Amino acid sequence: MSADTPDGPVTYPDVLIDDLPLVELVDLRLAAKSLGMSYEQAIDRYAWQSELNEIGERLLRTYPGELSGIALVESAAKVRIGFKNEVPDEAVTLARTLPVEVELRGRKGFSESELVEVMEDAHDSLRARPEVRQVQGRYDIDTGRITLGVRFNDATAKNRVADLQLPPPANPAISIKLESGIGAQMIPEDRYLRGGGHLKRPGDSRSGCTSGFNLVSVTSVTVRAAASARHCALNTLVYSNHSVQGGSTTISRVAVAANYDLGRLTSGSMITTRTFYSDWQSSRYVDSVGTSPFRGQLICKFGIRTGAGCSTVKLINEFIDDPDGRPVRGLVVMAARITERGDSGGPWYYGGTAWGFHQGTYSPNRLEAKTSAFTPAYLVPTALGAQWKIYRR
């Protein structure tokens, strides 16, 4: 192993073509196939979205209590950005740098961070009720309405929602609606574990899980860990590389998150790297961690069961209780189902940006079909401890 490749070889070199990284062009070709459009259409529609991510991160840093949501609308032809109060002058200036129409909405009366806080407080309040088995939550960034579905321990108690009194939000621009029942059950898309590579029980030939992005300590680069979904993090697992690279090792669970579908694992006898599989036999570096996903954004994934594919963001910050009653918060829900059992824990990415760890399939209510969902990578310090972060170049 040479000094300039401490993580081993990667498939795609650090090359720019028409100012776009080669790895992003590879993802756009995959997106064109996944979304049923031409390569040129995919480039026109999504090649600039990293610019919007940077704007979103900047606005969130500067106006954390004002930003009420960002969405790509009208078939990616328009960006919509909302604010609790007046639209800041800086937002107007930044909007003019984007290559599409931008609609700036002010005086909405609430921020997205407020919606998340009110929703999670209401979730905690409902989960503390002994008659409540599961709670599912979502919010609408256009209206400020939070909808909470409730499943009771007693299956015959469907009409008891009216008995669950929640105090009204302090912000009158935010409302809460309670519903009986939840959407399609959260179904983990695997029974065991893996990540980028393959994770499975020792001696078990079934598919297991997929490993996600590796982790590193914020205090020492020599302290590293593997990671995957919480429901994949069994006591003992076998990690295997793809066939071209080969090699395997036994790893074990160290810790799991209380409120998120994330788990930390040992690295076994292998060297923990800053790379991940973006497709079969294809690896690339993690160069950044996405912190500001927007609705309509294109993101791709890799899973041991279904391989690589792409979809667009439909919902942000959804939550549901898993079948064991443990909260699964912070979910990003995609517009299509492009995953199956066995993909859980695997990487969601775009170019060299780590976006999340695959969670499973999710439906916001009983009428909508299940689609793929992931836990955002930026939640690692919140979920697994402030001493951990995504291992990146």
Side-chain angles (χ1 to χ4, degrees):
M1 182 183 295
S2 63
D4 60 344
T5 57
D7 303 284
V10 293
T11 305
Y12 304 107
D14 292 331
V15 174
L16 291 177
I17 300 176
D18 293 333
D19 295 326
L20 287 174
L22 175 59
V23 289
E24 291 190 10
L25 289 171
V26 170
D27 293 345
L28 288 167
R29 188 173 293 280
L30 176 62
K33 180 179 179 181
S34 297
L35 301 177
M37 63 180 64
S38 70
Y39 184 37
E40 291 74 19
Q41 287 175 315
I43 291 174
D44 290 342
R45 187 172 293 189
Y46 298 112
W48 55 273
Q49 68 176 18
S50 295
E51 300 172 42
L52 182 56
N53 287 131
E54 293 175 4
I55 288 174
E57 291 170 4
R58 182 168 173 176
L59 292 174
L60 191 59
R61 283 196 307 269
T62 310
Y63 311 100
E66 289 291 314
L67 189 64
S68 63
I70 300 176
L72 196 59
V73 298
E74 297 181 10
S75 299
K78 178 193 286 189
V79 173
R80 183 177 295 151
I81 306 176
F83 293 90
K84 178 178 180 178
N85 295 301
E86 300 294 337
V87 175
D89 291 341
E90 183 181 12
V92 177
T93 301
L94 292 171
R96 288 173 178 155
T97 67
L98 293 173
V100 295
E101 179 184 352
V102 180
E103 178 185 352
L104 297 170
R105 293 183 175 182
R107 301 183 182 180
K108 298 190 69 173
F110 56 86
S111 67
E112 189 160 17
S113 61
E114 283 182 287
L115 290 173
V116 174
E117 182 179 2
V118 172
M119 181 175 69
E120 292 186 349
D121 286 347
H123 170 254
D124 290 340
S125 178
L126 291 171
R127 287 290 294 126
R129 301 286 292 266
E131 68 270 34
V132 173
R133 178 183 176 188
Q134 287 178 281
V135 183
Q136 178 182 28
R138 61 189 185 276
Y139 59 80
D140 189 321
I141 61 171
D142 290 324
T143 65
R145 166 167 282 190
I146 296 169
T147 303
L148 299 169
V150 181
R151 176 176 288 166
F152 294 96
N153 288 312
D154 181 356
T156 65
K158 294 183 179 180
N159 297 321
R160 292 175 56 186
V161 169
D163 298 332
L164 299 175
Q165 297 297 322
L166 290 175
N171 184 344
I174 298 175
S175 62
I176 298 177
K177 177 185 177 183
L178 296 180
E179 296 178 344
S180 177
I182 64 175
Q185 183 81 11
M186 187 201 73
I187 303 176
E189 295 194 335
D190 48 68
R191 292 164 290 181
Y192 316 109
L193 176 67
R194 58 192 168 181
H198 193 177
L199 291 170
K200 60 182 179 180
R201 294 177 188 266
D204 194 329
S205 61
R206 291 173 291 183
S207 61
C209 287
T210 307
S211 60
F213 303 104
N214 289 323
L215 310 179
V216 64
S217 168
V218 299
T219 58
S220 175
V221 73
T222 62
V223 179
R224 307 171 192 169
S228 189
R230 178 179 64 191
H231 66 268
C232 291
L234 304 178
N235 288 331
T236 303
L237 295 158
V238 175
Y239 168 90
S240 300
N241 276 320
H242 293 192
S243 59
V244 168
Q245 290 79 18
S248 63
T249 187
T250 300
I251 63 177
S252 58
R253 178 178 63 206
V254 179
V256 295
N259 294 316
Y260 304 91
D261 196 19
L262 289 175
R264 177 164 60 91
L265 304 144
T266 62
S267 302
S269 60
M270 288 182 162
I271 296 173
T272 309
T273 73
R274 299 167 292 178
T275 61
F276 67 97
Y277 289 111
S278 59
D279 202 346
W280 293 111
Q281 323 297 350
S282 296
S283 60
R284 63 176 69 168
Y285 275 102
V286 176
D287 287 317
S288 62
V289 178
T291 60
S292 185
F294 55 84
R295 292 156 184 82
Q297 177 174 352
L298 178 73
I299 303 180
C300 303
K301 62 84 193 176
F302 175 78
I304 288 294
R305 178 72 180 275
T306 60
C310 305
S311 184
T312 55
V313 174
K314 178 182 179 182
L315 302 167
I316 294 173
N317 281 317
E318 297 285 299
F319 80 77
I320 190 172
D321 295 327
D322 71 13
D324 296 322
R326 300 177 298 180
V328 180
R329 291 179 171 174
L331 291 177
V332 174
V333 182
M334 307 306 286
R337 179 173 181 172
I338 57 171
T339 51
E340 296 291 344
R341 291 177 179 268
D343 292 334
S344 285
W348 281 83
Y349 63 89
Y350 183 76
T353 300
W355 279 106
F357 297 75
H358 184 61
Q359 189 277 323
T361 55
Y362 178 95
S363 173
N365 55 59
R366 287 171 289 179
L367 301 178
E368 297 185 44
K370 294 180 291 185
T371 60
S372 300
F374 67 83
T375 302
Y378 71 80
L379 288 174
V380 162
T382 302
L384 297 175
Q387 70 272 32
W388 293 101
K389 64 180 181 179
I390 301 294
Y391 192 27
R392 48 176 283 193
R393 184 161 58 166

